Amino acid sequence: MSEPRTRLALLSPHRVEAGDADALGAAITAACAAGDVAAVILRLAPVDERSLVNLVKRLAPAAHEAGAAVVVACAHFDGDLVSVSARGGADGVHLDKARDGDLRDLRERLADGRILGAGGHEQKHAAMEAGEAGVDYVMFGGLYPDGMSPDSETVLDRAGWWTEIFETPCIAVADAVDQIDPLLATGVEFLGLESGLWIGEHADVAGIQARVAAAGETAA
């Protein structure tokens, strides 16, 4: 049996707080046991730096024990996210709609093998600038903090365009089951799963993993 070409990346709910840690940690453990999870992107609520470090310390082990990387995101945070990631034991940081100069500065600070990811680039030019800044992946899709969903056809188009042309890996995010197979057909390196697909009683990560495996066999 051929190996699947695509691995999973889990996106946490937006604005994770300390009170969410136990339930989220258990959900990460369960999802990693059911699928081939490469990374977990923790989208944290902006609080003080010490509280964020402590929260990451509580959540990171669930992913690391399964061999998954942990990437920290925190919209509207005025502190040092690189420091939060390093002190909390995470593997890197993720920024949405970051400016090219910001990404280049972070790339220099994350030059020791830690991960820098970029998302929120719905325009092709912005995505290319992120790639040129040296990010480890670009991400297309993912729910906005207000819960609104990006246009799924645009996400699909961007994923197909990127994987065909560029070497920098891509995360293409699904927030509904019917988006999964079309995204897998693009050959993306990582299928991102919004929290509704991997957390809760209706989550079926094993079923999604089976779709990934089937897509890999078809491509082979």
Side-chain angles (χ1 to χ4, degrees):
M1 182 178 294
S2 62
E3 291 293 326
R5 354 173 242 177
T6 302
R7 302 186 69 194
L8 302 179
L10 309 179
L11 279 66
S12 81
H14 282 286
R15 302 182 66 82
V16 172
E17 299 179 341
D20 306 317
D22 289 344
L24 182 57
I28 292 171
T29 297
C32 289
D36 179 21
V37 177
V40 179
I41 300 175
L42 298 176
R43 300 184 294 195
L44 310 178
V47 289
D48 63 278
E49 192 167 313
R50 181 176 181 181
S51 296
L52 286 178
V53 169
N54 290 334
L55 179 54
V56 174
K57 285 182 177 180
R58 293 176 62 186
L59 291 170
H64 286 159
E65 288 169 7
V70 175
V71 183
V72 177
C74 188
H76 308 299
F77 175 58
D78 294 329
D80 187 346
L81 195 60
V82 172
S83 175
V84 169
S85 173
R87 292 165 56 202
D91 302 284
V93 301
H94 173 96
L95 269 70
D96 283 319
K97 298 184 179 180
R99 292 175 294 183
D100 176 55
D102 294 334
L103 290 173
R104 291 184 185 278
D105 177 65
L106 287 173
R107 180 72 285 168
E108 291 182 5
R109 296 187 62 200
L110 293 163
D112 57 354
R114 287 181 289 170
I115 297 168
L116 173 61
H121 299 302
E122 296 180 351
Q123 301 299 319
K124 291 182 177 181
H125 181 70
M128 288 190 290
E129 284 190 335
E132 291 170 357
V135 298
D136 293 294
Y137 67 81
V138 296
M139 187 173 81
F140 299 111
L143 297 181
Y144 303 127
D146 61 5
M148 295 297 291
S149 175
D151 179 69
S152 60
E153 289 301 318
T154 299
V155 174
L156 179 61
D157 175 78
R158 297 296 184 266
W161 161 73
W162 187 270
T163 55
E164 183 176 349
I165 299 174
F166 301 98
E167 294 185 1
T168 301
C170 168
I171 300 177
V173 183
D175 60 81
V177 172
D178 62 3
Q179 298 170 12
I180 291 173
D181 290 342
L183 290 175
L184 289 174
T186 68
V188 291
E189 290 86 357
F190 303 100
L191 173 68
L193 301 181
E194 268 296 345
S195 57
L197 292 174
W198 64 274
I199 297 176
E201 59 180 337
H202 299 297
D204 183 15
V205 177
I208 293 172
Q209 185 62 50
R211 290 171 179 252
V212 174
E217 292 175 1
T218 299

